[in-house]
Amino acid sequence: MESPPNKHIFPFSLPVDSDHKATEFRPFSNSLPHMRAFHLAWLSLFSCYFSTFSIPPLLAVLRQDLNLSAADIGRAGTAAFAGSVFSRLAMGTACDLLGPRLASAALSLLTAPVVLSTAFISSAQSFVLLRFLIGFSLANFVANQFWMSSMFSGSIVGLANGVAAGWANVGAGLAQLVMPMIFSLIVSLGVSSSTAWRVAFVVPAIFQAVTALMVLAYGQDLPDGNYWSHKHPRKASNKPRENVLGVLFHGLKNYRGWILGLTYGCCFGVELTVDNIIAQYFYDRFNVDIRMAGAIAASFGLGNLVSRPVGGVVSDEMGRRFGMRGRLWSLWAVQTVAGLLCVLLGRVDSLWGSAVVMCCFSFFVQAASGLTFGVVPFISKRSLGVISGMTGSGGAMGAVVAQLLLFSGSNKFSTQTGISLMGLLMIICTIPVGFIYFPKWGGMFCGPSNEPSSIDQDDYSLLE
Amino acid sequence: MAAHGEPLWSPSSTKAGEVLKAGQDQLTVTWSYNQTFPAGTDSAYKTVKVKLCYAPVSQVDRAWRKTVDNLDKDKTCQFKVVAKPYGPSNNSFTWTVEKDIPTATYFVRAYAYNSNGDEAAFGQTTDAHKTTNLFEIQAITGRHMSLDIASVCFSAFSIVSLFGFFYMEKRKGKLAQQK
């Protein structure tokens, strides 16, 4: 096999398998090409989360200047994720065609101008449109996971995926902390508050563009090079290029992808919803100032630094000891506990009680996301991109549904009741995990079947 | 502390029914003690605070501007116009609408406080249902030409650099194939 002339480091500085995917994960190294890809991937996704969630902490100011009603804010929050439902599905195909590097950088560079156009908006409709378009950038999650799956071997792909997604998710939390600070800083320079927030959005826009350019300049799709420098784009496993529609339908037919889409909607979707509403919730219910509300909201998202990777590690450990049954049971258990804590969060009346419950809740709900992607790589090797896209899409869809049903401003019940109801929904929608069954590895209640059906034989890969 | 039901004051403002521009236009408020009430009721009043309050039409679906009976939690009147010592008559104040007042429909309310700082009476420029004598304020837009131009330039840079890279990649691909 001819190696492409550019960007080929041989021998690799990390141990690799036969596909040249790394078999060790060293997050604090920058070795080419694997760890550098990891850093570029999580950093560029981080900037997308930062941009998307740069708006919620400043809502208290925006709602005055744009004369927003609670219904407008709810619509915009829903719109923020509605776009990503489709863009996440499309990103899977784009990664197949263009490679994760070009696909993710293109999306980031095309949505950075949208973030900048915050300078122009002056009505509720334009606000909703803005959040809708910025939300497209969350499709980079699929590119991020796809890239990690191309660079890291099956034995550690869960960990790599978990850390890459977890550290990127921190962007949502950091935005809640940093944006009010940036806003206050600009106001202290003498700028009026209604101009200051417009200026503040220059920061996430530039950050997003810079990370995208870094991905283009320093990243590569595969351990051996880039998609476009090969004559025919191919997956790292050296298989001939699959028919894209065939792969798509193969993935869509798999019921496990749908169940995980639902459960991911109930952990990650809930996380996205909380990111949207929590700063306003603390600001309005407990009368804290905008920076304090941002700080509390930030501590929700910052937990991702640790909790999502821990979820991935727990899944791997359970998988080692109890096989797929362990992975599924731990997913169900962690997500159910998260649901219970969410119900509790809506009932707590004190500021500090709420903050503490929120932190516990954040740990469990984010770990559940990590645990979900500990199961995803095992569903289908042929349609990994599509299954990841379906699950990721389900996450965004969960956020849309939660916002529409419970936090769209025209509700008869208060935000705290909405939060408790959301917890209840989480518990109910996690039950379907019990229905997931792999003939080769079993499910939560049944062991593996003695004669694995030949139809499913091709679906599974032993990623161990 | 709940707001008292009976207005003991009669404030009035100019410009009822009009649209005022924030940072530019002026509002004159006059208030005096309502003589139909028994004499001596006002002996406890020490200071007066005049506030700008949201009319119900601007409170719809906006819980952060909600009217509640408990004055500590009430969010109807969020902007202070003026605070003055109490006098029974000939009180007036001309206020230039401040720059950061948001676009909404408003009325004016005057609260009288006793020496403990407790609210003792109030009056407002509108009726009990807050439907008459309302006026609008138009906020200053935060948009600036320089900011608009900077945004357009950065956006153009972002898109151009993307297509630049695509072009370079294609060229590298062609060169690699030619070798």
Side-chain angles (χ1 to χ4, degrees):
Chain A
M1 178 193 51
E2 185 76 53
S3 312
N6 59 323
K7 293 193 182 172
H8 182 81
I9 314 293
F10 196 75
F12 295 107
S13 41
L14 289 175
V16 294
D17 63 10
S18 58
D19 287 330
H20 291 169
K21 295 188 190 180
T23 52
E24 268 180 38
F25 181 74
R26 295 199 199 133
F28 299 108
S29 108
N30 193 21
S31 63
L32 283 167
H34 307 97
M35 295 320 304
R36 176 173 288 188
F38 162 73
H39 287 297
L40 290 170
W42 80 257
L43 206 59
S44 61
L45 184 61
F46 179 99
S47 72
C48 294
Y49 276 112
F50 191 94
S51 299
T52 305
F53 291 100
S54 55
I55 294 181
L58 296 181
L59 270 176
V61 179
L62 262 76
R63 65 190 182 189
Q64 296 282 67
D65 284 333
L66 299 173
N67 201 18
L68 301 175
S69 68
D72 293 326
I73 295 176
R75 258 197 292 273
T78 309
F81 309 132
S84 79
V85 171
F86 303 106
S87 63
R88 283 176 167 210
L89 272 176
M91 181 53 96
T93 318
C95 286
D96 272 329
L97 294 176
L98 299 172
R101 173 180 156 262
L102 281 175
S104 69
L107 183 62
S108 287
L109 284 170
L110 288 173
T111 41
V114 182
V115 181
L116 283 168
S117 64
T118 319
F120 302 129
I121 59 170
S122 43
S123 72
Q125 289 85 344
S126 51
F127 177 67
V128 173
L129 184 65
L130 181 83
R131 289 214 74 186
F132 176 70
L133 291 174
I134 295 182
F136 273 65
S137 66
L138 292 182
N140 270 340
F141 166 77
V142 177
N144 170 299
Q145 302 282 280
F146 188 101
W147 203 356
M148 293 297 94
S149 305
S150 308
M151 281 286 182
F152 292 93
S153 140
S155 56
I156 50 156
V157 76
L159 176 62
N161 272 348
V163 182
W167 288 10
N169 265 358
V170 172
L174 204 70
Q176 310 261 16
L177 186 65
V178 166
M179 289 305 287
M181 286 187 191
I182 297 178
F183 171 74
S184 302
L185 177 68
I186 299 176
V187 167
S188 71
L189 294 174
V191 181
S192 77
S193 79
S194 51
T195 306
W197 61 261
R198 295 172 190 274
V199 175
F201 287 99
V202 169
V203 174
I206 294 189
F207 183 35
Q208 194 171 313
V210 165
T211 56
L213 291 172
M214 278 167 55
V215 164
L216 285 175
Y218 299 118
Q220 61 188 67
D221 296 304
L222 305 164
D224 295 327
N226 283 318
Y227 269 36
W228 280 37
S229 45
H230 295 75
K231 241 184 175 172
H232 302 286
R234 55 196 157 103
K235 288 191 198 280
S237 55
N238 283 339
K239 284 204 292 216
R241 184 154 160 242
E242 296 266 12
N243 172 259
V244 169
L245 278 180
V247 164
L248 182 66
F249 283 122
H250 186 81
L252 289 174
K253 271 191 314 185
N254 196 321
Y255 76 94
R256 300 169 196 86
W258 290 96
I259 293 184
L260 281 187
L262 175 67
T263 57
Y264 198 58
C266 293
C267 56
F268 188 64
V270 165
E271 185 189 333
L272 287 179
T273 304
V274 173
D275 279 327
N276 251 0
I277 60 158
I278 199 77
Q280 241 193 327
Y281 175 70
F282 277 97
Y283 183 87
D284 285 334
R285 187 162 183 213
F286 300 110
N287 284 321
V288 296
D289 73 11
I290 196 174
R291 272 189 296 181
M292 175 69 134
I296 299 177
S299 56
F300 179 79
L302 289 174
N304 265 302
L305 195 67
V306 163
S307 34
R308 188 162 176 149
V310 164
V313 167
V314 165
S315 187
D316 284 342
E317 188 55 38
M318 285 293 166
R320 244 191 298 280
R321 289 191 196 193
F322 304 111
M324 180 54 66
R325 179 179 275 192
R327 289 185 189 262
L328 292 172
W329 269 104
S330 46
L331 170 60
W332 176 83
V334 168
Q335 193 154 316
T336 303
V337 171
L340 288 166
L341 285 168
C342 188
V343 173
L344 185 60
L345 179 62
R347 319 277 294 174
V348 176
D349 267 331
S350 74
L351 169 62
W352 291 109
S354 285
V356 166
V357 172
M358 187 198 72
C359 286
C360 298
F361 167 57
S362 80
F363 180 81
F364 279 91
V365 77
Q366 289 155 5
S369 299
L371 280 153
T372 308
F373 273 84
V375 176
V376 163
F378 292 89
I379 293 184
S380 170
K381 186 168 186 178
R382 190 176 150 209
S383 306
L384 172 63
V386 175
I387 299 284
S388 303
M390 279 164 76
T391 311
S393 239
M397 183 63 105
V400 168
V401 169
Q403 291 240 204
L404 272 178
L405 277 182
L406 303 171
F407 304 108
S408 58
S410 49
N411 300 124
K412 305 246 172 35
F413 44 78
S414 61
T415 309
Q416 52 261 39
T417 313
I419 292 179
S420 292
L421 285 174
M422 187 163 66
L424 199 59
L425 273 176
M426 278 173 77
I427 298 174
I428 295 174
C429 293
T430 307
I431 294 175
V433 172
F435 298 125
I436 294 182
Y437 180 75
F438 295 87
K440 211 168 198 170
W441 302 306
M444 266 169 81
F445 300 107
C446 317
S449 74
N450 290 324
E451 303 134 19
S453 115
S454 54
I455 309 164
D456 293 327
Q457 198 74 299
D458 297 316
D459 281 16
Y460 303 117
S461 69
L462 273 172
L463 291 179
E464 289 92 322
Chain B
M1 145 151 329
H4 287 166
E6 288 283 341
L8 297 183
W9 291 77
S10 318
S12 67
S13 64
T14 53
K15 318 266 185 164
E18 282 189 31
V19 178
L20 298 171
K21 292 210 180 64
Q24 263 182 267
D25 293 335
Q26 291 183 326
L27 179 71
T28 304
V29 187
T30 57
W31 63 96
S32 56
Y33 181 60
N34 188 342
Q35 300 297 339
T36 61
F37 282 89
T41 321
D42 64 340
S43 53
Y45 307 158
K46 292 292 175 237
T47 50
V48 172
K49 265 195 202 151
V50 181
K51 290 188 177 174
L52 192 65
C53 309
Y54 290 110
V57 61
S58 287
Q59 288 176 304
V60 168
D61 202 18
R62 288 168 176 83
W64 53 92
R65 294 177 181 172
K66 212 161 119 182
T67 301
V68 290
D69 277 339
N70 184 343
L71 259 190
D72 291 332
K73 300 216 164 141
D74 182 44
K75 297 189 180 168
T76 321
C77 305
Q78 295 186 15
F79 305 102
K80 192 179 87 167
V81 172
V82 68
K84 269 186 164 187
Y86 169 75
S89 57
N90 290 332
N91 296 296
S92 86
F93 183 73
T94 302
W95 183 61
T96 309
V97 180
E98 273 170 30
K99 281 196 260 186
D100 59 355
I101 306 290
T103 301
T105 309
Y106 296 91
F107 61 94
V108 175
R109 198 178 262 183
Y111 287 103
Y113 295 87
N114 63 19
S115 47
N116 286 338
D118 296 326
E119 188 257 23
F122 82 99
Q124 56 191 28
T125 57
T126 181
D127 64 353
H129 295 291
K130 299 184 257 185
T131 50
T132 59
N133 266 349
L134 305 171
F135 56 93
E136 281 178 40
I137 293 185
Q138 194 92 67
I140 297 180
T141 173
R143 292 186 55 182
H144 271 272
M145 180 66 87
S146 50
L147 188 58
D148 289 350
I149 293 178
S151 298
V152 171
C153 287
F154 276 127
S155 305
F157 167 71
S158 184
I159 311 259
V160 164
S161 56
L162 173 67
F163 285 108
F165 262 104
F166 261 104
Y167 177 67
M168 270 171 42
E169 284 288 310
K170 256 199 148 155
R171 270 189 59 195
K172 267 198 231 166
K174 284 204 185 115
L175 283 174
Q177 285 173 30
Q178 279 165 16
K179 278 189 188 160

